[in-house]
Amino acid sequence: ECLAGAVYFEARSESLDGQLAVADVILNRADSGRFASTVCGVVHQPGQFSFVRGGRMPAINRNSQDWREAVAIARIAEKDRWESAASDALFFHATHVSPRWKLRRIATVGNHVFYR
């Protein structure tokens, strides 16, 4: 639910590769020991995702094709059935943003740049 919601809000207009890369970052964070240890904890961690407000996600149109795709993508990512160009990434931002992070750039996939 949390992973699908994050894919839905962060990358629903992206290609399959772009959506899976976003999902990979969230899963990588949960496994890293540097962030919350659960997917929901990562997604709701303060200051990490702009769509989370007051610790909550906005309402999701659960009857939409975008939601059904986000759920399917979350399932694929959780089962590690896809090799993402950003499979080692822990951070990402939209391509129209330049945060000047001093992190190792891994890939650009669709509208996001991924870092480790």
Side-chain angles (χ1 to χ4, degrees), residues 85-108:
S87 61
D88 293 333
L90 287 174
F91 304 92
F92 67 87
H93 64 76
T95 54
H96 67 272
V97 177
S98 296
R100 295 191 176 108
W101 291 342
K102 294 183 182 196
L103 301 169
R104 184 171 52 97
R105 186 177 181 158
I106 293 176
T108 299

Side-chain angles (χ1 to χ4, degrees), residues 52-72:
V52 175
R53 299 273 197 251
R56 302 181 64 112
M57 279 191 217
I60 296 170
N61 178 357
R62 294 177 187 277
N63 295 318
S64 70
Q65 181 63 30
D66 288 336
W67 174 247
R68 287 189 292 277
E69 288 176 8
V71 169

Side-chain angles (χ1 to χ4, degrees), residues 28-77:
N28 291 346
R29 285 182 175 196
D31 291 338
S32 74
R34 295 173 58 186
F35 297 88
S37 61
T38 66
V39 169
C40 288
V42 167
V43 170
H44 291 100
Q45 191 169 349
Q48 297 300 306
F49 295 97
S50 61
F51 63 86
V52 175
R53 299 273 197 251
R56 302 181 64 112
M57 279 191 217
I60 296 170
N61 178 357
R62 294 177 187 277
N63 295 318
S64 70
Q65 181 63 30
D66 288 336
W67 174 247
R68 287 189 292 277
E69 288 176 8
V71 169
I73 286 162
R75 288 183 181 141
I76 291 166

Side-chain angles (χ1 to χ4, degrees), residues 3-4 7 20 23 27 68-81:
L3 185 57
V7 169
L20 282 163
L27 294 171
R68 287 189 292 277
E69 288 176 8
V71 169
I73 286 162
R75 288 183 181 141
I76 291 166
E78 286 176 328
K79 293 179 181 177
D80 201 23
R81 292 189 171 168

